[in-house]
């Protein structure tokens, strides 16, 4: 029985990580929740066709892990029992960054390593335990059902993939978690709800392949080799995942990766020669390929600003990549999506306490509050992306100074564990960016001898 009921029916569009987390929250407040997924029901741990980025390296940051544990108590232990690897985030990560190796040490932050399909599977299994949830696969949401007089979205029109039959689905709340390709932004724009979106053209391409490495002992679980912008454009990573496998990912900005011949593992190995450090290339010399080479392109990232739009239609919200698409190189998308779901929970709980129903303040309150989660992450990312001259978009105020200061942090992280530790906490979404500007960190970053 729903203890905090604020509505009879809610709809979630999209069953990726943002959609699954959202459905988990809605099941606490609505008698029935419908999850619409345009793709087929997944039957194994392979990436879904609708999530092409699932073939590539994904990071679950500590802040995201904590959010998932709040949403799904016991999920971390369940993943560990099924093969996820627990590592020390500052000791077991070997990181070549801005021309230097980070100073490794035994820190307090432990994270877990696994593939994106593995994580999504475990979230899905727990979501499906909700008795008031119904998942409709092969069902595409087409457009909102809109009451213009009341300025309320009453549901969505959906189409079944097999029969092409259209159905009107009514709900008290609709949440779009369909990803960066959401068709609903266009519907809003056609009705003059123009949000002042930030769109940054990054021309990112990343290429991945899964391997089995030899039994040699290694002093790392994750190996990262970042390029030094703007001269170097290609970076790479190796990360242990479930099943005693390792995923190798190359990423490049405005680089030759997008035009490379990727029809064999040997061609992938040859590409690793272009990294600023040879360690990843050396690891591949006697490794066994376990998958095909996969390529994915991210031409741009985008941040919508619906929190700045007045008189939005009520009872319809964007969440996850449908609201903000980050540069995936920084690995923050999944974690932020889980944290946004917690924001949604807070907003719905407040509505239940104040009105026992969905208030007219929900839309603005939700967008305002998730913006507090998104904005610092977005700003950190674009400061780094704009180190490349080809990147096009709105530059943050004081960009040159911010890039100089963060560059100092990166270099000092190779010498000073206090600076690196502060950076790790911010990077894992556990502390605000302002931590890096505290008097003690400022002193250590700016002094001549660290």
């Amino acid at each position: 029985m729903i203890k905090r009921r604020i509505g009879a029916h809610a709809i979630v569009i999209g069953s990726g990580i943002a959609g699954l987390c959202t459905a988990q929250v809605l099941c606490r407040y609505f008698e029935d929740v419908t999850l619409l997924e345009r793709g087929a029901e997944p039957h194994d741990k392979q990436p879904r066709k609708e999530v092409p980025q699932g073939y590539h390296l994904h990071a679950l940051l500590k802040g995201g892990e904590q959010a998932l544990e709040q949403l799904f108590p016991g999920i971390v232990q369940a993943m560990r029992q099924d093969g996820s690897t627990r590592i020390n985030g500052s000791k077991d990560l070997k990181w070549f960054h801005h021309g230097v190796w980070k100073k490794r040490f035994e820190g307090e932050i432990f994270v877990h390593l696994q593939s994106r399909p593995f994580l999504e599977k475990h979230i899905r299994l727990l979501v499906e335990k909700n008795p008031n949830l119904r998942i409709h696969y092969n069902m595409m949401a087409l457009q909102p059902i809109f009451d213009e007089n009341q300025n309320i979205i009453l549901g969505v029109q959906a189409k079944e993939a097999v029969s092409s039959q259209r159905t009107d689905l009514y709900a008290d709340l609709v949440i779009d978690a369909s990803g960066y390709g959401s068709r609903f932004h266009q519907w809003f724009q056609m009705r003059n709800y123009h949000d002042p979106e930030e769109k940054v053209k990054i021309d990112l391409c990343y290429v991945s392949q899964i391997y089995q490495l030899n039994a040699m002992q290694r002093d790392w679980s994750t190996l990262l080799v970042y390029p030094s912008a703007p001269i170097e454009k290609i970076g790479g990573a190796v990360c242990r995942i479930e099943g005693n496998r390792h995923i190798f990912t190359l990423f490049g900005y405005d680089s030759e990766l997008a035009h490379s011949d990727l029809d064999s593992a040997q061609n992938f190995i040859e590409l690793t020669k272009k990294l600023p450090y040879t360690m990843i290339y050396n690891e591949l010399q006697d490794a066994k390929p376990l998958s095909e080479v996969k390529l994915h392109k991210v031409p741009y990232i985008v941040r919508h600003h619906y929190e700045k739009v007045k008189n939005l239609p009520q009872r319809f919200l964007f969440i996850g990549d449908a609201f903000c698409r980050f540069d995936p190189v920084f690995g923050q998308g999944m974690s932020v999506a889980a944290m946004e779901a917690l924001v949604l929970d807070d907003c719905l709980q407040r509505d239940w306490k104040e009105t026992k129903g969905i208030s007219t303040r929900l839309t603005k309150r939700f967008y305002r509050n998730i913006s507090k989660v998104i904005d610092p992450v977005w700003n950190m990312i674009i400061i780094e992306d704009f180190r490349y001259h080809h990147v096009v978009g709105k530059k943050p105020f004081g960009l040159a100074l911010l890039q100089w200061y963060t560059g100092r942090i990166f270099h000092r992280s190779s010498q000073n564990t206090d600076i690196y530790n502060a950076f790790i906490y911010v990077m894992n979404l556990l502390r605000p960016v302002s931590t890096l500007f505290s008097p003690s960190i400022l002193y250590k970053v700016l002094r001549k001898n660290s």
Side-chain angles (χ1 to χ4, degrees):
M1 182 178 179
I2 306 300
K3 295 181 179 179
R4 294 174 290 183
R5 182 188 184 280
I6 63 172
H9 185 216
I11 293 174
V12 183
I13 304 168
S15 71
I17 288 176
L20 294 171
C21 291
T22 298
Q24 178 74 1
V25 170
L26 295 180
C27 284
R28 301 171 180 175
Y29 296 93
F30 293 84
E31 288 185 7
D32 293 293
V33 177
T34 299
L35 184 56
L36 303 179
E37 169 53 51
R38 64 188 177 96
E41 181 177 0
H43 293 290
D44 52 32
K45 297 178 183 178
Q46 294 301 310
R48 296 184 293 122
K49 181 179 70 173
E50 294 74 26
V51 188
Q53 66 270 31
Y55 289 97
H56 304 274
L57 177 63
H58 279 69
L60 180 60
L61 305 177
K62 191 64 179 181
E65 179 185 297
Q66 291 178 350
L68 282 179
E69 188 66 27
Q70 282 187 251
L71 293 166
F72 308 96
I75 187 172
V76 174
Q77 182 62 27
M79 291 195 299
R80 285 186 64 184
Q81 292 176 348
D82 198 25
S84 180
T85 302
R86 182 177 185 260
I87 70 165
N88 187 284
S90 51
K91 178 185 176 184
D92 300 321
L93 168 62
K94 192 168 187 175
W95 189 359
F96 187 73
H97 191 209
H98 280 250
V100 293
W101 290 101
K102 300 292 186 190
K103 188 176 180 66
R104 297 161 71 185
F105 66 98
E106 187 83 40
E108 298 177 347
I109 297 177
F110 289 84
V111 296
H112 291 81
L113 307 179
Q114 59 277 309
S115 67
R116 160 75 184 252
F118 177 95
L119 176 63
E120 192 171 299
K121 178 199 115 175
H122 279 273
I123 296 174
R124 189 180 303 274
L125 287 173
L126 293 174
V127 171
E128 289 174 346
K129 291 183 178 181
N130 288 292
N132 55 338
L133 175 67
R134 299 291 179 270
I135 303 179
H136 294 282
Y137 294 101
N138 298 307
M139 183 75 79
M140 177 178 288
L142 300 176
Q143 62 182 4
I145 300 171
F146 183 45
D147 185 328
E148 190 170 358
N149 291 330
Q150 297 186 68
N151 195 33
I152 293 178
I153 289 177
L154 303 175
V156 294
Q157 185 183 82
K159 181 177 74 171
E160 192 177 68
V162 178
S163 66
S164 295
Q165 179 178 350
R166 300 196 175 201
T167 306
D168 288 343
L169 300 173
Y170 291 88
D172 302 298
L173 181 64
V174 178
I175 299 187
D176 184 355
S178 61
Y180 59 85
S182 170
R183 60 173 58 210
F184 288 87
H185 294 296
Q186 185 178 4
W187 183 90
F188 274 70
Q189 291 166 4
M190 288 172 58
R191 283 154 184 80
N192 294 318
Y193 299 108
H194 294 287
D195 73 290
E197 68 176 22
E198 291 182 65
K199 197 170 186 177
V200 180
K201 185 174 181 289
I202 62 172
D203 284 329
L204 170 68
C205 175
Y206 52 115
V207 184
S208 297
Q209 189 169 22
I210 296 174
Y211 284 82
Q212 186 175 60
L213 301 186
N214 61 39
M216 179 184 72
Q217 289 292 319
R218 294 170 174 83
D219 67 344
W220 52 266
S221 294
T222 299
L223 173 64
L224 298 181
V225 177
Y226 268 61
S228 293
I231 299 172
E232 297 166 351
K233 294 187 175 184
I234 298 177
V238 185
C239 181
R240 183 177 176 180
I241 59 174
E242 69 281 356
N244 195 29
R245 301 172 299 159
H246 285 77
I247 184 168
F248 286 67
T249 292
L250 299 178
F251 56 89
Y253 296 92
D254 189 33
S255 71
E256 59 196 277
L257 288 185
H259 313 291
S260 299
D261 184 2
L262 296 169
D263 59 354
S264 72
Q266 186 57 42
N267 291 339
F268 179 84
I269 294 173
E270 288 299 308
L271 281 173
T272 63
K273 288 182 178 180
K274 302 180 183 299
L275 294 174
Y277 200 81
T278 62
M279 202 168 193
I280 291 179
Y281 171 77
N282 294 337
E283 285 289 345
L284 286 170
Q285 295 314 296
D286 57 354
K288 177 184 176 182
L290 300 176
S291 73
E292 297 178 349
V293 181
K294 294 292 184 178
L295 178 146
H296 187 62
K297 297 180 180 179
V298 181
Y300 62 88
I301 57 177
V302 61
R303 159 77 167 95
H304 294 277
H305 282 281
Y306 284 110
E307 76 278 5
K308 297 181 179 179
V309 182
K310 295 181 179 180
N311 200 33
L312 280 171
Q314 297 297 303
R315 306 198 176 191
F316 185 100
L317 303 171
F318 292 97
I319 199 169
D321 279 5
F323 188 74
C324 181
R325 183 191 197 187
F326 298 106
D327 182 339
V329 166
F330 299 90
Q332 294 153 323
M334 298 190 306
S335 297
V336 170
M339 295 168 74
E340 289 174 3
L342 290 182
V343 171
L344 176 65
D345 188 42
D346 289 340
C347 291
L348 294 178
Q349 186 171 169
R350 187 168 175 180
D351 271 7
W352 176 78
K353 289 179 178 178
E354 292 178 354
T355 66
K356 296 296 188 292
I358 301 174
S359 74
T360 57
R361 295 184 293 274
L362 174 64
T363 301
K364 184 166 286 293
R365 180 183 289 162
F366 174 73
Y367 285 142
R368 184 178 65 243
N369 290 347
I370 66 166
S371 294
K372 295 175 183 177
V373 175
I374 290 170
D375 285 345
V377 179
W378 173 265
N379 290 334
M380 281 193 296
I381 287 173
I382 62 173
I383 286 169
E384 294 308 303
D385 282 343
F386 276 115
R387 292 187 190 275
Y388 289 102
H389 302 316
H390 77 277
V391 172
V392 178
K394 180 183 177 182
K395 297 181 179 180
F397 177 76
L399 176 62
L401 179 60
L402 290 169
Q403 288 178 336
W404 175 84
Y405 184 75
T406 55
R408 293 279 294 184
I409 289 174
F410 301 150
H411 282 92
R412 294 298 194 197
S413 295
S414 69
Q415 308 160 2
N416 188 296
T417 55
D418 290 337
I419 295 173
Y420 186 26
N421 192 49
F423 176 56
I424 287 174
Y425 270 88
V426 171
M427 183 180 69
N428 275 277
L429 309 179
L430 296 173
R431 292 178 183 169
V433 178
S434 58
T435 301
L436 301 177
F437 296 87
S438 67
S440 62
I441 296 299
L442 269 170
Y443 173 73
K444 290 169 183 168
V445 170
L446 298 179
R447 70 178 179 174
K448 291 184 179 180
N449 297 313
S450 180

